[in-house]
Amino acid sequence: PEQSDRLVQARERLGDARTLLSTGSVSGVVMMAYTAAFQAAQAFIFDATQRTPKTHNGVHSKLHELNREQQRL
């Protein structure tokens, strides 16, 4: 459930980004797009490890580790 929840949230944030784009809120678009990417990365990591890092550094480190160990990216 956690993986699919994160993917649903990521898709919702992309929808939010599209809405903000139409209003010209560039900073809002960037924030929502970043959040979508972060949540999608968390889902990917959870699928591979059954754990979810909560911070930017945690996600970045785990993605790097998975790529180095498994060449999954």
Side-chain angles (χ1 to χ4, degrees):
E2 183 167 347
Q3 179 189 18
S4 61
D5 291 346
R6 294 278 181 197
L7 290 175
V8 166
Q9 291 171 350
R11 287 186 187 101
E12 288 173 355
R13 296 302 74 78
L14 284 177
D16 294 343
R18 286 185 190 100
T19 299
L20 288 168
L21 184 60
S22 69
T23 69
S25 175
V26 174
S27 62
V29 170
V30 170
M31 183 177 67
M32 288 300 124
Y34 167 82
T35 302
F38 182 81
Q39 290 171 325
Q42 285 180 314
F44 175 81
I45 293 167
F46 184 80
D47 184 54
T49 68
Q50 301 304 302
R51 294 179 181 236
T52 305
K54 304 296 183 203
T55 66
H56 171 92
N57 285 338
V59 167
H60 183 264
S61 295
K62 187 52 84 171
L63 284 174
H64 180 72
E65 178 184 321
L66 288 171
N67 186 51
R68 189 178 65 244
E69 291 174 358
Q70 303 171 14
Q71 296 297 311
R72 291 190 63 171
L73 299 177

